[in-house]
Amino acid sequence: MMKPVRVAIFASGTGSNAEALIKKMQSLGSAVEFVFSDKPAAGVLAKAHALNTKTYVIEKSQGRAHHEQEVLRLLFEHKVDWVLLAGYMRLLSADFLKKLAGRHEGHSQVVNIHPSLLPAYPGKDSLERAFADKVEQSGVTLHLVDEGMDTGAVLKQVAIPLKGFNVFGDFKASIHRLEHQIYTEFLEQIVTGQIATHSFKETIEC
Ligand code: GAR
């Protein structure tokens, strides 16, 4: 039998993607290890609790290095295989990513979803900016995480034509639906082994 895959979700905001991921994991007969947030008031925490999912909050109080060390400790304690960023609005340092990859035979298993056709509109308020610019098409990008802002290798990209959306709310809702679909499909591929997982190693080889 396949070893269960251990997934953690990082989120700073409302948590609609996190909610969709938790539900997908449960529908596959498994569970998300935990949801981590850097924001104690983030809506994602209530959504996770409502779905019986463990949550952790670590605020950045003593600088980035200390914060990342605490977050890594959490990931290592739970032997997490994959980290899925779902509206986590903080960059991860090269050092953090390297230490994490070191536990997975050098493979980066940190993924992010972003509401634009990267490299267009990285960072915050991507939807608002694309809509204001009246771009012909927008979309969603699933990508591996590096230390840059929404810059890692693209895993999947799906476009949506903007034509037909007069109301920003409708456009936003469509993008969110697409995000949930792409992210939950990806999660299913991980859990079912269609995408290989390099399991967490207790010790790293020198
Ligand atoms: C999502 O649209 C996600 O793609 C975006 O934040 C939103 C979070 O929504 N992430 C980024 O912009 C990352 N740069 P949610 O809290 O409802 O999942």
Side-chain angles (χ1 to χ4, degrees):
M1 213 174 84
M2 248 182 70
K3 204 172 160 201
V5 179
R6 291 172 174 260
V7 172
I9 298 172
F10 286 16
S12 308
T14 321
S16 72
N17 278 284
E19 186 177 41
L21 290 167
I22 293 169
K23 285 183 177 167
K24 171 55 91 176
M25 201 68 168
Q26 292 175 347
S27 79
L28 295 168
S30 193
V32 164
E33 281 300 307
F34 63 84
V35 168
F36 162 72
S37 185
D38 55 331
K39 304 267 183 241
V44 68
L45 298 169
K47 285 193 171 72
H49 289 152
L51 290 165
N52 301 314
T53 303
K54 212 179 286 169
T55 63
Y56 294 96
V57 177
I58 305 174
E59 286 184 86
K60 189 181 148 225
S61 52
Q62 293 175 49
R64 186 184 192 187
H66 181 262
H67 187 249
E68 287 195 336
Q69 200 182 321
E70 295 290 290
V71 179
L72 267 184
R73 200 161 53 83
L74 197 57
L75 291 171
F76 290 175
E77 265 171 26
H78 286 263
K79 303 180 176 56
V80 167
D81 297 318
W82 288 87
V83 176
L84 305 184
L85 307 188
Y88 186 64
M89 302 312 262
R90 193 177 284 288
L91 294 179
L92 299 172
S93 73
D95 184 52
F96 176 94
L97 292 165
K98 196 170 159 216
K99 283 181 178 150
L100 199 50
R103 297 300 183 133
H104 303 103
E105 299 158 284
H107 291 268
S108 166
Q109 294 184 157
V110 185
V111 174
N112 182 41
I113 194 121
H114 186 77
S116 78
L117 297 175
L118 291 171
Y121 301 103
K124 288 185 183 159
D125 304 323
S126 311
L127 289 173
E128 287 80 354
R129 288 185 285 133
F131 195 76
D133 286 352
K134 297 185 170 49
V135 291
E136 259 178 40
Q137 57 173 11
S138 180
V140 171
T141 306
L142 188 73
H143 66 95
L144 287 174
V145 172
D146 64 13
E147 68 274 27
M149 182 156 351
D150 303 317
T151 49
V154 171
L155 297 171
K156 184 164 187 162
Q157 204 158 47
V158 179
I160 288 189
L162 226 76
K163 203 167 59 187
F165 289 111
N166 298 319
V167 179
F168 176 70
D170 294 345
F171 164 61
K172 187 174 174 180
S174 287
I175 290 283
H176 277 306
R177 271 197 299 277
L178 185 58
E179 287 190 327
H180 301 166
Q181 186 194 327
I182 291 172
Y183 226 172
T184 54
E185 278 171 11
F186 177 75
L187 180 63
E188 183 160 3
Q189 288 174 334
I190 292 173
V191 172
T192 57
Q194 292 170 66
I195 292 175
T197 291
H198 299 269
S199 299
F200 180 88
K201 300 280 178 299
E202 291 287 348
T203 50
I204 42 176
E205 287 160 29
C206 299

